[in-house]
Amino acid sequence: SSAALYDLSSIAIILLPIVVLLLAGSLLSGLHPSGEPMSFRGPWFTLHVLLAFAAYAGLTLSAAAGLLYLLQFRELKEKHLGRIFRFLPALPTLDAIGRTGLFVAFPCLTLALVLGWSWSLRFGQGLSTEEAQVIWGVITWIVFALIVAIRTTSVPSRERRAASASVIGFVIVILAYLVLRISPVAHGGFL
């Protein structure tokens, strides 16, 4: 419906700066894909990558909706019903978008990790807990699991806590990636 498209377009206002900041940050810091050819590409690896991208896109959507939720909540609490208030979707809508993004993303990430693990084992690569992509995958999965746990508990102000958790979780995942990417652990083809 047109209302749903409007709600998503207001979230795009937050997503675009996030993407631009992340891209600018990676370009300015010199981070780029390693470009090293992998000897074990195939359809299962492609599915692993697609599921991982879907998972990170879902987390980003959940974080953007969470950020807007917190902004809208503050506007309502302080009774500042100005332009921002009229532009943003209602709190239940933002919560539903964040929940949907997360609940689609978490199974995608879990499947991506299982596929990556099984694909690596099949080609004798193994997975060392010292490899950056393994560390990042585990950190990311734990962050996702914690956000899902926060979302599924029935405590007062659960929606606000879930929104905060999505935003903080997104920041943790990005910072973990950056730290691991520039660390000496990040040898080989880590993104």
Side-chain angles (χ1 to χ4, degrees), residues 90-170:
L91 291 177
T93 303
L94 290 168
D95 182 56
I97 292 170
R99 182 178 48 252
T100 302
L102 184 66
F103 288 165
V104 168
F106 186 61
C108 286
L109 179 66
T110 303
L111 287 172
L113 292 176
V114 168
L115 279 173
W117 172 73
S118 60
W119 190 251
S120 293
L121 290 180
R122 183 177 185 286
F123 284 92
Q125 300 292 321
L127 288 176
S128 169
T129 56
E130 297 174 359
E131 291 184 30
Q133 63 265 28
V134 173
I135 296 167
W136 190 48
V138 170
I139 289 170
T140 303
W141 192 88
I142 290 169
V143 166
F144 267 77
L146 289 172
I147 299 169
V148 167
I150 289 168
R151 272 214 168 268
T152 56
T153 59
S154 58
V155 295
S157 66
R158 176 189 57 164
E159 294 84 4
R160 191 168 38 107
R161 290 180 187 188
S164 297
S166 291
V167 172
I168 293 167
F170 178 78

Side-chain angles (χ1 to χ4, degrees), residues 44-106:
W44 290 105
F45 182 75
T46 302
L47 183 58
H48 158 74
V49 171
L50 290 173
L51 287 169
F53 274 121
Y56 292 115
L59 178 61
T60 306
L61 178 65
S62 182
L67 188 60
L68 291 176
Y69 183 98
L70 295 172
L71 184 62
Q72 183 75 305
F73 183 84
R74 190 186 73 187
E75 290 289 306
L76 286 167
K77 186 176 181 181
E78 295 176 1
K79 295 179 177 51
H80 291 159
L81 307 180
R83 289 183 188 169
I84 292 175
F85 173 78
R86 284 177 278 180
F87 176 73
L88 296 177
L91 291 177
T93 303
L94 290 168
D95 182 56
I97 292 170
R99 182 178 48 252
T100 302
L102 184 66
F103 288 165
V104 168
F106 186 61

Side-chain angles (χ1 to χ4, degrees), residues 19-66:
V19 170
V20 168
L21 285 173
L22 291 175
L23 183 59
S26 66
L27 291 174
L28 291 173
S29 67
L31 293 178
H32 54 79
S34 66
E36 295 178 19
M38 295 176 59
S39 60
F40 56 97
R41 292 185 181 171
W44 290 105
F45 182 75
T46 302
L47 183 58
H48 158 74
V49 171
L50 290 173
L51 287 169
F53 274 121
Y56 292 115
L59 178 61
T60 306
L61 178 65
S62 182

